[in-house]
């Protein structure tokens, strides 16, 4: 009897020491991260710098494929990334848009620690939409979108992350992929609704990755991450393909105090670059996207209007997203 109680006591003590959780160290699937384990070093995301990266892109004018502004911005993005890493690839492709236009497209890819087999993919689209087809004034429906939030915001955050990774090695492989021709999807006034007319650059990259056989542990897409009071909700394509990544990113954001931004609400599927990264190349990838089905358009008010300019960009939102993504990256080594 005495022997038994002693053994039981010992087992209980051991059980308590492990935190009572038999599954604690069990790797259930590809990425199981609940709370930040140890204190990891995370560089400080500079929102002023990110903001300037957004402003610089917008200053080129709308980055619509086949325009001089698009070419100039591509060169600037390549040169800016070259300041932060020598590994920059510009993948050129002629892509056919749904209206028949052949787009002179370029995906711009920057790699950190290219030899490291443990990799993370960060992406955003850098092009802007040729038609402001959701503008309240129909006279603007054939004008291009300035794309400060829709496009430049995600790129601005990733450029600042690249700048930080140059100063402080994240200790794992990171690929930043700036997709082109995301926003050339069919004009609203046309019938078709050919969904695959969006995200042409990511479809091309997913079929022809910059490194043959490329893969990554997970991916994070940033889209429309610059407006004030965003609602980053749990989008359905992300939840279907990458629920663990969703949980990891949302948990990280909440641990940093950003639960008002990263909301625990499930929302419907969105056709965006992450769909093809998931479906074609099979990297579990989430979309951090400002989407609230209770809004008129779902997206921010100025979405696909000529008002999507620097006036609506919030440094605080850029900082919240940048801090969250940097923390996820540096705690993934
Ligand atoms: C659709 O409207 C089908 N998808 C939204 C993807 C998008 C457009 N992201 C930015 N602009
Ligand atoms: Zn768009």
């Amino acid at each position: 009897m005495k022997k038994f109680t002693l053994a039981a006591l010992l087992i209980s003590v051991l059980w308590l020491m492990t935190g009572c959780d038999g599954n604690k160290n069990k790797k259930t699937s590809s990425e199981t991260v609940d709370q930040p384990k140890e204190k990891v070093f995370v560089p400080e995301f500079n929102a002023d710098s990110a903001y300037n990266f957004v402003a610089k892109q917008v200053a080129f004018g709308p980055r619509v494929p086949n325009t001089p502004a698009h070419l100039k911005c591509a060169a600037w993005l390549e040169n800016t990334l070259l300041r932060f890493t020598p590994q920059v690839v510009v993948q050129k492709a002629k892509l056919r848009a749904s209206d028949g236009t052949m787009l002179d497209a370029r995906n711009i890819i920057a790699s950190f620690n290219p030899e490291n087999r443990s990799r993370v993919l960060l992406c955003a689209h850098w092009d802007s939409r040729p038609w402001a087809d959701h503008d309240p004034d129909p006279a603007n429906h054939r004008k291009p979108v300035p794309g400060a939030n829709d496009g430049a915001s995600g790129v601005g955050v990733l450029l600042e992350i690249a700048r930080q990774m140059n100063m402080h090695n994240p200790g794992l492989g990171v690929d930043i992929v700036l997709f082109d021709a995301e926003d050339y999807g069919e004009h609203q006034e046309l019938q078709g609704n050919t969904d695959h007319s969006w995200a042409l650059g990511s479809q091309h990259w997913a079929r022809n990755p910059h490194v043959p056989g490329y893969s990554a542990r997970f991916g994070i897409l940033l889209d429309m991450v610059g407006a004030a009071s965003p609602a980053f909700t749990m989008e359905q394509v992300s939840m279907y393909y990458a629920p663990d990544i969703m949980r990891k990113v949302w948990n990280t954001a909440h641990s940093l105090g950003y639960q008002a931004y990263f909301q625990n609400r499930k929302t419907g599927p969105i056709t965006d670059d992450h769909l093809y990264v998931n479906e074609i190349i099979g990297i579990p990838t989430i979309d951090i996207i400002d989407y609230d089905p209770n809004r008129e358009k779902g997206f921010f008010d100025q979405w696909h209007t000529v008002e999507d300019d620097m006036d609506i960009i919030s440094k605080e939102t850029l900082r919240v997203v940048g801090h969250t993504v940097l923390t996820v990256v540096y705690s993934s080594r």
Side-chain angles (χ1 to χ4, degrees):
M1 185 64 189
K2 200 169 175 225
K3 237 183 197 161
F4 173 75
T5 42
L6 200 68
L9 189 72
L10 200 69
I11 287 164
S12 316
V13 166
L14 283 171
W15 182 249
L16 283 167
M17 281 170 69
T18 60
C20 315
D21 184 353
N23 283 329
K24 210 175 181 197
N25 294 316
K26 201 160 101 189
K27 257 206 159 215
T28 44
S29 54
S30 54
E31 296 284 336
T32 307
V33 172
D34 290 281
Q35 282 306 306
K37 317 143 220 177
E38 248 105 278
K39 263 206 171 164
V40 289
F41 170 79
V42 181
E44 193 172 332
F45 184 87
N46 185 326
D48 293 311
S49 170
Y51 184 91
N52 290 335
F53 286 138
V54 179
K56 182 77 189 183
Q57 293 169 76
V58 174
F60 285 107
R63 283 79 62 215
V64 172
N66 300 354
T67 67
H70 181 263
L71 273 184
K72 281 184 203 152
C73 187
W76 177 78
L77 288 169
E78 179 184 4
N79 288 325
T80 302
L81 287 166
L82 280 168
R83 283 165 47 198
F84 308 138
T85 173
Q87 267 81 39
V88 178
V89 174
V90 178
Q91 178 183 58
K92 295 186 184 182
K94 294 261 186 264
L95 303 176
R96 194 191 146 85
S98 65
D99 67 352
T101 309
M102 292 310 293
L103 306 178
D104 180 11
R106 37 205 79 192
N107 295 321
I108 303 168
I109 303 133
S111 298
F112 295 80
N113 299 322
E115 72 296 335
N116 199 317
R117 286 173 46 78
S118 172
R119 312 199 65 75
V120 168
L121 169 71
L122 304 177
C123 43
H125 77 91
W126 72 271
D127 63 308
S128 32
R129 181 156 179 76
W131 316 291
D133 51 355
H134 278 89
D135 199 280
D137 181 356
N140 293 329
H141 285 190
R142 294 273 158 190
K143 290 183 188 161
V145 174
N149 193 23
D150 187 359
S153 66
V155 173
V157 168
L158 294 185
L159 290 176
E160 173 57 12
I161 287 176
R163 195 175 76 89
Q164 294 297 336
M165 291 195 299
N166 175 48
M167 293 187 287
H168 311 278
N169 194 327
L172 79 171
V174 178
D175 302 286
I176 291 178
V177 183
L178 307 180
F179 292 123
D180 199 356
E182 188 278 337
D183 234 345
Y184 222 103
E186 192 166 67
H187 196 289
Q188 221 237 122
E189 284 154 16
L190 301 174
Q191 301 297 71
N193 214 338
T194 50
D195 243 0
H196 296 300
S197 66
W198 302 88
L200 301 177
S202 54
Q203 294 186 55
H204 178 78
W205 175 82
R207 293 191 179 94
N208 311 276
H210 61 294
V211 171
Y214 176 81
S215 196
R217 285 159 56 195
F218 64 89
I220 300 174
L221 171 66
L222 305 182
D223 197 4
M224 318 188 206
V225 293
S229 311
F232 303 127
T233 52
M234 303 166 91
E235 182 270 339
Q236 197 174 327
V237 172
S238 310
M239 281 300 284
Y240 179 80
Y241 285 106
D244 295 350
I245 311 313
M246 194 95 213
R247 200 170 337 106
K248 174 188 179 109
V249 173
W250 258 238
N251 282 348
T252 301
H254 293 180
S255 77
L256 298 172
Y258 304 144
Q259 44 282 331
Y261 293 75
F262 290 79
Q263 304 179 3
N264 282 330
R265 297 155 61 198
K266 293 185 183 178
T267 51
I270 296 172
T271 301
D272 206 344
D273 294 312
H274 70 314
L275 175 66
Y276 301 103
V277 176
N278 280 300
E279 276 190 349
I280 299 174
I281 196 166
I283 299 169
T285 300
I286 66 158
D287 195 2
I288 300 180
I289 186 164
D290 183 2
Y291 180 73
D292 180 345
N294 298 324
R295 295 180 190 144
E296 201 184 329
K297 291 191 267 194
F299 302 119
F300 63 109
D301 288 345
Q302 298 81 3
W303 182 68
H304 291 183
T305 75
V306 298
E307 309 292 335
D308 178 8
D309 56 23
M310 285 312 289
D311 295 347
I312 66 160
I313 297 299
S314 155
K315 275 185 194 174
E316 183 57 14
T317 302
L318 298 175
R319 193 186 64 75
V320 162
V321 174
H323 188 194
T324 301
V325 176
L326 261 183
T327 304
V328 169
V329 169
Y330 281 72
S331 11
S332 293
R333 60 179 298 171

